Amino acid sequence: MRAYLYALRRNGKWEGRVTIAPEVDRAYWFGGSHAAQEHVEAAWFWKEQLPLGQACQIAEWWRMGERGGKYIRGSDRRGRAKKKAEKRAVSLLEQGASSDKVWVDGLIELECMIRLTGDDAATSAKRGRSWRLWFKRKKRRESGITEAELARLLACAELWRREPNGAARGGVDAAAAERAASLLSGRALLSGEARELLGAGGPGAAASWREAIQLAALLGRVRLRGAVAAVEGGRPDARRRLRCRRCGSGEARLRRSRCLACGRLCSYCEACLTMGRSRECELLVEGVYEPLAQQGLGGGRGAWPAAREAETAPVAGRLAHWGLSPAQLAATEEALHFIEGRAVQGRPKLRVSRQPTGERSDIRNFLLWAVTGAGKTEMVFPLVESVLRRGGRALIASPRRDVVLELDPRIRRAFPEAAVVTLYGGSEQRWERGDITLSTTHQLFRFHHAFDLVILDEIDAYPYHGDPLLKYAADKSCLPGAPRLLLSATPPIELQRAAKRGELAHARVPVRYHRHPLPVPILRRSPPVHAMLSSGKLPASLQKVIQASLDRGAQLFLFVQRIAQSEPFAALLRDKLRLPSALVAATSSQDPERSSKVAAFRTADIRVLVTTTILERGVTIPKSDVIIMDADGKLFDEASLVQMAGRAGRNAADPNGSVSFFAPERNQSQLRAVRHIRTMNRFARARGFLLESGKRGSRS
Amino acid sequence: MSIIRTITRLLSGLRTAGNRSVTWMAPHQEGCVVCGKAFGQAQPAEVRSGGAPAAARLLNHSLCISCRSSIPWLERILCPICGRGIHCEDCGRRPNRHFVLNRSAVTYDPVMRSWLALYKYRGLERLAPLLAEMLVPPFLKLTEELAKAAPAAPSLPRNAGIHPFRIALHNRSLKNQPANGIWDAVAFVPISAERAEERGFNQAAELARYLSRRYGIPSYDLLVRAHHSEKMSFKSRAERMRVAKSLFEVNESSLKELEALHADASRELRVLLIDDIYTTGSTVEACSEVLLRHACQPLKVYVLTWSRS
């Protein structure tokens, strides 16, 4: 994409500005209907279109130059350009130029900047074009601008000044801009997506999308930038390095190629290619979301206001109607105090100044460490309610699409009046913006500072855990200063440590909502799965466990390591246990019928489901047992084993499901998983959360 | 004699060492370019690659085994005109064809469709050299056939009026091994300005540029797309033929340059026209037709496409 550039003289200073619809800018600054024109004197409009990336770079450098910054280490390129421009302008004035050329220094500066950032500038500097030419140019510059040169410059540009009759020209519908701004609020979209979003509202809007977005940008409601660009601010040497603004990838994932859209070598991002191509000359539209802090609750930008006691009902009263268990209640209360910015009574205020390494410092994290089946979703409800009550927007994001889909009906039931938007790849609600957004972490690339409360579910799950891009997306979606809740049954070790050291605010829920202890896995010895498959034999101990589950009428999760093993193992089970084939099924991430099989499993049409770690979380079956084959395998670590074991006994009617680890060997992961589960049970007993302990509700 | 033999052996040893060092020094690839899967430790070196070892190296190093073996090479050509692997009626139905023949590298099956989509619509430009490399086997085969049929063109004299760079390029192309003066120009099917703006690159031009650079055949922008049309992939056969007719124009200056360069050639001009996919042939037919119409010299258009559907 290409854009136009102009130099605007305001308050006696020149500033570089980019536009994708020049007529809008002209009408805005000089048309007469806007209040913004007070101190605007004139503008030089460069008639030739420039690659968007270049135009944005010029505007950015210009801004920095006004603040006295240097662009590139060791040299002040724009400063020199400015000096040159002043010199040339002065000499021009001395030559006695006519009065309407007084502003020509702005034009000269503009031209200098274009040359500085242009491709031929880069290549000539690199190739070291003949020194003679360089000297000649230098000499000519020092002696000032010639009439011929000036004529050439004037032909390239157009002077904008206030129209004498004051009529607005090229007037855009202010309502359209307003509409565009409100639709784009909190989004970060490529131009094609923005067009689609505006088009979703009606066919008329799509036609003049450039004008609408440009006016919104002038009004400060959206920001227009290159989708791949150098880092803003920062150290001078970092400024040459490009970065994808949408996914945060650095140069390693960028690739330069000849671009027909802008006509020069242009980098595109390979990391987020699946969401549309982000490149140097591609427009990234970032809509500004007016955060809760500015919507009447007082407090400056970015500062989360402490909700006033008078406005919100007492915490205990608000929590009462959600029907939480004592353990849930205790943790939720703590979290609620945290997001509302109040210290818990009787407890010292948590130190949150030092964040775990690599965290954005302006996000306030809170770790909710709740065992599998603790009822995390129910605990989240009061927090979401708190934000909604204050007119804010909440986000619940999960790395897994299945989890998002399962959450959707529960949220809608809990908040019937709120607008709920569910986002995943191919979602129908792609362009809607609601009070509550449910989303896969991938979809967060399309948001920018958009939520007053971010709740990240299953933070240790693939693909979120260990993926810097998704982390970037999750950080980006959060408003500066807003609270963020991290949910997990098995938090990554660095978060566990940070929580222990008191650097990360947290609450632990060691017991399930039904207040029975977690089923402790039983370790059994068996040959590996591949041996069973090749010999066609099932060990008697395994058959016995499966038979026991079937006899007691429970559903059975059977986890294997590899996708390739799932189907053959299901076949082996059917054969050996003489089960009707419909009762045993296998599924994996590569199974197109996965969702229908999971649905059939839920309705008990399928009794035994052979699967991989894809179903380790998010799926809740009332009466279920778990068998993990090859539990010593590399793909099953402690977290994964705990999660899979957590599929059993989730319902109050059947709290004691059985969990068995079958493996040729006992290894650290299995033992740690068992220890993890035992520790949680012990902790729950000590806090009096378990039913058997008889100290029901002693703390609440 | 033995000294010479030793030296030859040494040289060839050096060459293989050089070739290997290229693979050692190549930036470490984290996985298959197409599916992203990490390579196993042992990548078997030899793989069927359309009968030509030339294509093997790049494919070996950027594709995993399963992706490599899923390429449906078009090796057995049954229709001598459109290069299909089955006998076809299409070519009989078109009485006055303007191109000589078409050759394609692969059959357009769902896997190839997904590869092309990854490159063309997603914009994964990293795939460009790989797809272009796949054109090499049919290109070499076609060149060989032509070389058998006709003697090579003579070297160009340094006559006035032609840019010396072009002459140098031409003469180099004669020396360069397999192309050997068989081809006078590589051209490609153009895309419209709107599409260029949207996509950022022309896939056919990228393929052509690769061949041009690899075999030293000069590449020319002979064609211009006159007006924007809907994507061809949404159209029926009859519609495609009708629309394609008025779609292309000749880039006069470029054609003039080509003709001036070969003003005193003893044989007709041979242009290799590149496109990504050959479906009904109406696109390349329209291109060839307009080229022949504007050419002042006898000119023959051979078509090389990446896939044949």
Side-chain angles (χ1 to χ4, degrees):
Chain A
M1 191 175 190
R2 290 171 201 246
Y4 292 97
L5 191 70
Y6 62 94
L8 181 76
R9 191 174 171 82
R10 185 156 56 156
N11 294 325
K13 271 186 187 154
W14 290 101
E15 52 191 274
R17 300 190 72 101
V18 183
T19 175
I20 53 170
E23 279 310 305
V24 173
D25 287 62
R26 188 170 190 174
Y28 181 78
W29 297 116
F30 304 105
S33 61
H34 293 281
Q37 325 131 345
E38 291 264 313
H39 304 287
V40 175
E41 293 157 74
W44 282 107
F45 172 67
W46 195 257
K47 285 189 216 162
E48 197 191 340
Q49 283 192 320
L50 298 170
L52 182 84
Q54 188 190 354
C56 289
Q57 190 186 22
I58 292 173
E60 164 70 14
W61 282 16
W62 207 306
R63 255 198 307 281
M64 279 173 48
E66 291 308 329
R67 279 191 251 120
K70 287 186 176 180
Y71 310 103
I72 288 167
R73 181 194 286 243
S75 77
D76 182 5
R77 286 170 84 183
R78 202 195 68 100
R80 270 190 293 181
K82 195 175 170 185
K83 243 174 249 161
K84 265 179 225 157
E86 273 161 12
K87 219 173 204 174
R88 288 161 83 186
V90 166
S91 74
L92 187 85
L93 290 175
E94 281 165 359
Q95 282 166 24
S98 54
S99 61
D100 62 325
K101 289 174 188 166
V102 182
W103 284 306
V104 88
D105 61 323
L107 175 58
I108 295 170
E109 197 172 346
L110 187 65
E111 190 245 354
C112 283
M113 291 296 284
I114 291 170
R115 261 207 238 159
L116 268 181
T117 52
D119 258 355
D120 44 308
T123 50
S124 69
K126 259 183 215 151
R127 289 183 195 155
R129 274 203 198 160
S130 77
W131 283 98
R132 216 155 19 121
L133 193 68
W134 189 77
F135 272 121
K136 227 196 246 168
R137 252 200 220 157
K138 193 172 169 232
K139 238 186 198 165
R140 203 178 55 202
R141 274 196 194 136
E142 279 165 356
S143 67
I145 195 167
T146 62
E147 277 299 327
E149 212 179 338
L150 181 66
R152 188 181 56 77
L153 269 185
L154 289 176
C156 289
E158 188 184 335
L159 182 65
W160 285 351
R161 301 184 63 178
R162 181 136 324 149
E163 305 291 316
N165 52 7
R169 288 157 26 120
V172 210
D173 198 355
E178 175 58 38
R179 203 179 136 268
S182 66
L183 280 173
L184 285 164
S185 144
R187 305 259 187 191
L189 300 178
L190 300 182
S191 64
E193 294 169 332
R195 206 168 1 171
E196 215 179 302
L197 168 68
L198 297 187
S208 58
W209 69 275
R210 273 170 186 267
E211 286 74 16
I213 288 180
Q214 182 61 35
L215 186 53
L218 285 170
L219 295 168
R221 302 287 304 275
V222 306
R223 284 185 74 185
L224 304 180
R225 323 160 83 183
V228 170
V231 184
E232 264 177 39
R235 298 210 322 271
D237 60 336
R239 250 168 253 144
R240 245 181 303 203
R241 272 178 245 139
L242 296 177
R243 198 166 187 206
C244 173
R245 282 236 173 85
R246 186 169 58 162
C247 74
S249 314
E251 299 237 311
R253 302 299 306 273
L254 299 179
R255 196 177 176 82
R256 263 172 107 83
S257 69
R258 216 185 335 257
C259 174
L260 296 181
C262 71
R264 71 171 187 172
L265 276 179
C266 176
S267 297
Y268 73 92
C269 176
E270 284 191 335
C272 58
L273 206 60
T274 46
M275 314 203 55
R277 198 152 77 145
S278 153
R279 68 183 312 166
E280 244 179 291
C281 69
E282 174 66 58
L283 185 69
L284 184 71
V285 185
E286 287 175 351
V288 176
Y289 166 57
E290 296 288 315
L292 201 54
Q294 293 184 332
Q295 288 175 348
L297 271 165
R301 188 191 165 78
W304 186 263
R308 269 166 284 169
E309 296 289 335
E311 279 185 24
T312 48
V315 168
R318 276 187 285 152
L319 288 175
H321 69 281
W322 292 106
L324 299 174
S325 76
Q328 284 175 311
L329 213 53
T332 311
E333 199 176 324
E334 223 166 294
L336 198 58
H337 280 299
F338 180 83
I339 69 164
E340 290 180 357
R342 282 177 296 189
V344 183
Q345 280 173 349
R347 270 175 163 241
K349 208 168 190 175
L350 278 155
R351 263 198 310 136
V352 287
S353 53
R354 253 184 72 203
Q355 298 276 352
T357 42
E359 295 288 325
R360 213 173 88 183
S361 60
D362 59 348
I363 297 177
R364 303 187 306 127
N365 286 311
F366 186 94
L367 174 67
L368 192 55
W369 184 353
V371 295
T372 53
K376 287 194 288 278
T377 315
E378 288 78 19
M379 296 166 64
V380 156
F381 290 159
L383 310 179
V384 171
E385 187 193 35
S386 154
V387 170
L388 291 191
R389 191 181 284 218
R390 284 176 287 156
R393 293 178 194 273
L395 165 76
I396 305 174
S398 164
R400 301 271 174 111
R401 187 188 150 128
D402 303 327
V403 177
V404 170
L405 290 177
E406 179 156 310
L407 218 52
D408 176 55
R410 293 166 76 184
I411 293 284
R412 282 178 204 272
R413 230 176 295 131
F415 297 97
E417 298 99 45
V420 180
V421 172
T422 309
L423 301 175
Y424 47 89
S427 161
E428 297 268 305
Q429 290 185 298
R430 197 140 79 110
W431 302 128
E432 289 172 35
R433 184 103 156 87
D435 305 323
I436 305 173
T437 305
L438 299 174
S439 169
T440 55
T441 41
H442 268 96
Q443 296 300 317
L444 298 184
F445 284 123
R446 298 207 169 105
F447 288 98
H448 177 80
H449 294 181
F451 300 101
D452 300 289
L453 170 67
V454 172
I455 297 168
L456 274 180
D457 199 4
E458 312 274 13
I459 46 161
D460 58 313
Y462 174 86
Y464 178 77
H465 182 55
D467 186 339
L469 304 186
L470 290 177
K471 189 168 160 11
Y472 176 88
D475 285 355
K476 193 171 68 128
S477 66
C478 198
L479 266 174
R484 181 166 71 177
L485 216 66
L486 310 172
L487 304 187
S488 178
T490 46
I493 192 75
E494 60 280 6
L495 288 188
Q496 291 189 21
R497 282 201 198 113
K500 268 188 200 130
R501 281 200 300 264
E503 287 162 7
L504 176 64
H506 70 285
R508 252 205 284 190
V509 186
V511 68
R512 292 186 158 166
Y513 76 96
H514 54 54
R515 306 179 65 187
H516 291 275
L518 297 165
V520 179
I522 300 162
L523 273 60
R524 295 175 209 266
R525 194 179 292 271
S526 82
V529 169
H530 67 83
M532 292 185 207
L533 289 176
S534 59
S535 67
K537 282 183 196 155
L538 279 187
S541 58
L542 177 60
Q543 291 200 25
K544 216 165 85 190
V545 173
I546 296 175
Q547 203 54 55
S549 292
L550 293 175
D551 290 346
R552 77 182 194 92
Q555 314 270 92
L556 188 61
F557 281 100
L558 213 149
F559 292 97
V560 294
Q561 288 249 327
R562 308 192 164 279
I563 294 170
Q565 288 170 347
S566 58
E567 200 57 69
F569 200 67
L572 185 65
L573 289 181
R574 279 181 210 125
D575 185 38
K576 288 288 155 195
L577 297 170
R578 281 183 287 282
L579 288 169
S581 62
L583 285 189
V584 183
T587 189
S588 68
S589 58
Q590 287 176 6
D591 183 5
E593 294 164 31
R594 187 171 96 219
S595 47
S596 68
K597 279 183 189 165
V598 171
F601 190 53
R602 213 162 258 165
T603 55
D605 291 333
I606 292 173
R607 295 289 304 279
V608 181
L609 190 60
V610 182
T611 179
T612 58
T613 47
I614 188 74
L615 290 188
E616 78 181 20
R617 42 187 101 211
V619 184
T620 299
I621 305 291
K623 192 173 186 182
S624 56
D625 290 340
V626 171
I627 292 177
I628 299 165
M629 303 303 301
D630 287 351
D632 58 343
K634 254 188 265 164
L635 294 174
F636 294 159
D637 58 359
E638 177 196 338
S640 172
L641 289 173
V642 170
Q643 287 287 354
M644 290 185 284
R647 297 305 102 202
R650 297 181 69 111
N651 200 294
D654 176 50
N656 302 314
S658 80
V659 179
S660 312
F661 290 177
F662 280 90
E665 283 173 32
R666 295 184 169 196
N667 65 354
Q668 278 294 314
S669 299
Q670 294 174 68
L671 297 176
R672 273 206 215 108
V674 173
R675 204 184 308 144
H676 183 133
I677 290 170
R678 286 222 168 100
T679 311
M680 281 299 186
N681 284 343
R682 203 174 321 125
F683 187 59
R685 192 159 290 127
R687 298 270 311 258
F689 289 140
L690 291 183
L691 275 182
E692 301 100 305
S693 68
K695 285 186 275 175
R696 179 185 285 222
S698 63
R699 265 182 58 87
S700 56
Chain B
M1 270 328 263
S2 70
I3 297 173
I4 295 174
R5 205 177 300 144
T6 322
I7 291 174
T8 334
R9 201 174 296 157
L10 196 70
L11 279 179
S12 75
L14 273 179
R15 201 175 302 134
T16 28
N19 284 345
R20 277 190 197 148
S21 73
V22 167
T23 57
W24 292 332
M25 287 187 289
H28 176 68
Q29 194 126 46
E30 55 272 40
C32 174
V33 180
V34 174
C35 67
K37 218 174 279 169
F39 288 148
Q41 314 88 320
Q43 280 278 101
E46 216 294 306
V47 137
R48 237 164 42 100
S49 56
R57 186 171 298 149
L58 185 73
L59 299 187
N60 279 351
H61 287 109
S62 39
L63 291 179
C64 67
I65 304 165
S66 67
C67 282
R68 235 185 300 157
S69 54
S70 67
I71 301 176
W73 292 104
L74 243 176
E75 285 173 300
R76 211 168 45 105
I77 290 160
L78 289 182
C79 175
I81 292 161
C82 71
R84 247 214 286 212
I86 48 169
H87 289 289
C88 62
E89 296 105 42
D90 275 12
C91 298
R93 260 194 266 170
R94 209 197 308 266
N96 43 355
R97 203 170 1 91
H98 289 88
F99 59 89
V100 180
L101 52 79
N102 167 67
R103 288 293 177 268
S104 305
V106 296
T107 314
Y108 195 54
D109 67 355
V111 177
M112 291 299 109
R113 183 201 301 267
S114 71
W115 288 23
L116 189 63
L118 206 58
Y119 173 50
K120 210 164 134 181
Y121 302 123
R122 277 274 169 81
L124 188 65
E125 286 182 65
R126 178 196 284 269
L127 285 182
L130 182 86
L131 301 187
E133 187 68 48
M134 289 167 68
L135 281 179
V136 167
F139 170 76
L140 290 181
K141 223 186 260 176
L142 180 59
T143 309
E144 215 171 281
E145 278 168 31
L146 286 179
K148 256 181 236 160
S155 161
L156 267 188
R158 276 190 170 272
N159 57 348
I162 304 165
H163 198 281
F165 175 71
R166 281 286 184 203
I167 296 175
L169 205 62
H170 179 89
N171 289 343
R172 205 185 72 189
S173 82
L174 294 187
K175 278 181 222 123
N176 215 314
Q177 257 295 304
N180 224 353
I182 298 293
W183 301 106
D184 300 311
V186 181
F188 51 86
V189 174
I191 55 174
S192 66
E194 288 92 334
R195 187 78 68 231
E197 162 85 18
E198 174 193 318
R199 193 176 292 158
F201 61 94
N202 176 358
Q203 68 286 354
E206 296 298 322
L207 297 179
R209 192 172 294 133
Y210 184 89
L211 278 189
S212 154
R213 234 180 293 150
R214 177 155 176 167
Y215 291 104
I217 311 165
S219 161
Y220 289 86
D221 300 357
L222 288 181
L223 295 154
V224 185
R225 192 168 278 231
H227 58 80
H228 188 60
S229 75
E230 285 288 301
K231 280 182 187 140
M232 287 296 252
S233 37
F234 294 134
K235 292 200 171 96
S236 72
R237 181 186 158 84
E239 254 183 302
R240 284 182 195 214
M241 310 249 277
R242 189 171 42 77
V243 170
K245 266 244 155 96
S246 58
L247 216 52
F248 299 99
E249 278 166 15
V250 156
N251 182 356
E252 291 284 351
S253 64
S254 194
L255 185 62
K256 286 255 163 59
E257 195 186 335
L258 174 65
E259 288 185 328
L261 194 58
H262 297 275
D264 49 359
S266 56
R267 56 160 173 81
E268 76 286 334
L269 279 177
R270 280 202 203 108
V271 174
L272 186 65
L273 182 65
I274 309 279
D275 200 3
D276 52 349
I277 171 159
Y278 183 108
T279 307
T280 60
S282 53
T283 308
V284 290
E285 165 61 22
C287 289
S288 319
E289 194 268 335
V290 76
L291 269 180
L292 291 192
R293 182 146 39 91
H294 286 80
C296 309
Q297 290 177 33
L299 185 143
K300 275 188 176 171
V301 180
Y302 294 79
V303 179
L304 183 62
T305 46
W306 178 74
S307 66
R308 178 74 179 91
S309 71

